[in-house]
């Protein structure tokens, strides 16, 4: 009787939209393009699509089947399978809670940038003037205007995690706004969420399509698109390429959080979730590729602008040093003149060696960026150079907000749904209980708006869910295959769909997917052990060092004095294979 009285989606399309809105998130825009760039461009699509069918799709199907069959949240669903598995559902709720605490701060940053986009000159386009009105602020000059605006204006970041200068009022208000909107989206449970997902799932595609049209028309965009689709097949021999492909599929689909189980629990019992699982998984992966085309068009534009600016600085240096006619050296023949002047005036040219920059378009394109560095620094850098930059800024940050809010709907639902299955909580109204959950997350999340909050954000992002999610999903697939039993699971699916799953699904559940998850789990443990002393990157306005972590420069790269103002502290390990090199001249 309780299950029959459970609210349902108004129609199957609402469920599909909810899954798309949840699965298609910020990772599609800022993580997948980075992996393509790091692991062979178009060649990365081979392991990525293989992992989609070997790991992502079977596990996505499995979670939807469990939710629709049990018509309960993660805790109730796993308890129904076995009384000893209630802790598995609880682990999903706790993991989703971790994610909710810090994920909405990204939406707060998006609000902050959106509000600052309505200015005649974007505030990250130029350095602000110092208090003496004699020139730009020195800290901004040492970095770049976009880095300064993010680290100093947006975060007001401290120089280490131990230094806490209090709450950033602007960020706290933006975080409060983000949680208020999240609450309005979920206030009446599935009834209100079902209406919202139509917008959060579709509008980002409108913005991406507009950006694609604008992106490919930008000067130098074709350089970025060519770079993406030029496969480096030698990367396929690198085990890390395959591991990152599997990891991206796993996290992009949102497996293990309990959100998919919660969403599916509101389906009609005979809903065709098999077809929906395939559709949503393919849309998610297609979106990653589509977003990469947009991102690499922006990459190409930014890289070409930086490359040509470097050539222009070199051209002016040569003209001034050798008293040449203004039109004698152009951007196109700069390298010819460098060779000619080096041959003609070797002694005079030798004195310029330390002033000449190494202008290389390929090196600019090789500079891979992910996460907040891509979303709030690289994109902002490109946007400020576009005509009508305010328009493109508004569109971009609205898109980020909708992607983030769509994911938040799934994250909060993964907490609320299983808890409301308990009789004590079920007596409370949706409005009151959902409000208490949002208020609780808001109060704890205020810690991320402090001056050291970004360091805590990075810690939560890197360590809050990785191990736990891998472990949760591994236990899920082993439980269904070997404790609950494949044959019993087949009968449940037949009861719902009218047919049994084919051999592909059974092979994946019983063998391939568990083995892949075990391999991923072992990889993360070994990588963590071999990582050495955990460290983190910290902004330091006094020192000029290289931002290797955010810019992902290969070791041995020549780094200029404006790459960043970051130093290294011992606490936890940042991205792998990165090293800070401080050269004293």
């Amino acid at each position: 009787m309780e299950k029959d009285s459970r609210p349902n989606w108004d129609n199957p399309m609402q469920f599909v939209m909810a899954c798309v809105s949840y699965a298609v998130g910020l990772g599609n825009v800022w993580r997948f393009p980075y992996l393509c760039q790091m692991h062979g461009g178009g060649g990365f699509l081979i392991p990525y699509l293989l992992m989609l069918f070997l790991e992502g799709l079977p596990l996505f199907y499995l979670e939807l089947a469990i939710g629709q069959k049990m018509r309960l949240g993660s805790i109730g669903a796993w308890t129904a399978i076995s009384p000893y598995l209630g802790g598995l559902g609880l682990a999903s709720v706790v993991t989703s809670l971790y994610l909710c605490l810090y994920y909405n701060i990204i939406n707060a940053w998006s609000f902050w940038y959106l509000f600052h986009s309505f200015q005649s000159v974007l505030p990250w386009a130029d350095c602000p003037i110092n208090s003496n009105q004699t020139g730009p602020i020195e800290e901004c000059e040492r970095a770049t205007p976009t880095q300064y605006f993010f680290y100093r204006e947006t975060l007001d970041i401290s120089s280490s995690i131990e230094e806490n200068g209090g709450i950033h009022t602007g960020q706290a208000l933006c975080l409060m706004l983000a949680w208020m909107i999240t609450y309005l989206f979920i206030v009446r449970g599935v009834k209100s969420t079902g209406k919202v997902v139509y917008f959060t799932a579709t509008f980002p595609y409108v913005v991406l399509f507009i950006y694609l049209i604008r992106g490919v028309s930008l000067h130098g965009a074709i350089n970025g698109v060519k770079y993406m689709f030029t496969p480096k097949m030698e990367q396929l021999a690198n085990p890390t390429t395959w591991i990152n492909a599997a990891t991206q599929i796993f996290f992009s689909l949102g497996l293990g959080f309990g959100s998919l189980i919660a969403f599916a629990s509101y389906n009609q019992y005979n809903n065709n979730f098999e077809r929906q699982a395939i559709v949503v998984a393919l849309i998610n992966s297609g979106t990653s590729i589509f977003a990469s085309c947009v991102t690499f068009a922006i990459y190409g534009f930014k890289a070409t602008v930086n490359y040509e600016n470097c050539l222009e600085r070199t051209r002016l240096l040569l003209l001034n040093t050798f008293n040449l006619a203004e039109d004698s050296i152009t951007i196109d023949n700069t390298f010819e003149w460098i060779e000619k002047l080096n041959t003609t005036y070797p002694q005079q040219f030798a004195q310029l060696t330390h002033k000449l920059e190494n202008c290389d378009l390929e090196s600019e394109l090789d500079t891979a960026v992910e996460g907040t560095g891509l979303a709030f620094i690289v994109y902002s850098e490109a946007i400020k150079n576009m005509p009508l930059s305010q328009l493109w800024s508004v569109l971009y940050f609205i898109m980020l907000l909708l992607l983030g809010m769509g994911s938040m709907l799934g994250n909060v639902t993964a907490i609320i749904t299983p808890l409301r299955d308990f009789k004590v909580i079920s007596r409370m109204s949706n409005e009151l209980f959902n409000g208490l959950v949002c208020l609780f997350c808001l109060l704890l999340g205020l810690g991320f708006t402090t001056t050291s909050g970004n360091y805590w954000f990075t810690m939560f992002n890197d360590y809050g869910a990785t191990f736990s999610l891998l472990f949760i999903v591994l236990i899920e697939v082993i439980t269904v295959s070997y404790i609950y039993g494949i044959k019993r699971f087949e009968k449940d699916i037949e009861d719902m769909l009218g047919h049994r799953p084919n051999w592909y699904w059974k092979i994946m559940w019983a063998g391939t997917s568990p083995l892949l998850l075990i391999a991923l789990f072992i990889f993360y443990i070994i990588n963590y052990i071999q990582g050495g002393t955990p460290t983190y990157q910290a902004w330091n306005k006094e020192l000029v060092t290289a931002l290797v972590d955010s810019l992902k420069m290969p070791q041995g790269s020549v780094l200029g004095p404006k790459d960043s103002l970051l130093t290294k502290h011992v606490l936890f390990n940042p991205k792998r294979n990165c090293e800070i090199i401080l050269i004293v001249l």
Side-chain angles (χ1 to χ4, degrees), residues 30 102-116 149-150 154-155 171 174-175 178 371-372 375-376 397 400-401 448-449 453-455 457-458:
W30 72 27
Y102 77 88
Y103 197 90
N104 231 5
I105 192 64
I106 302 173
N107 294 326
W109 296 338
S110 298
F111 271 123
W112 177 266
Y113 270 78
L114 178 62
F115 296 150
H116 281 82
F149 184 81
F150 181 67
T154 303
L155 303 179
Q171 284 304 306
C174 288
L175 181 63
T372 54
F376 296 102
F397 289 109
L400 278 192
L401 271 171
F448 297 107
T449 66
N454 191 57
Y455 305 131
F457 168 84
T458 307

Side-chain angles (χ1 to χ4, degrees), residues 428-450:
M428 298 174 63
S429 66
N430 277 328
E431 292 81 358
L432 176 59
F433 179 68
N434 296 353
L436 290 175
V437 170
C438 290
L439 179 62
F440 176 75
C441 292
L442 167 63
L443 294 176
L444 290 183
L446 286 175
F448 297 107
T449 66
T450 63

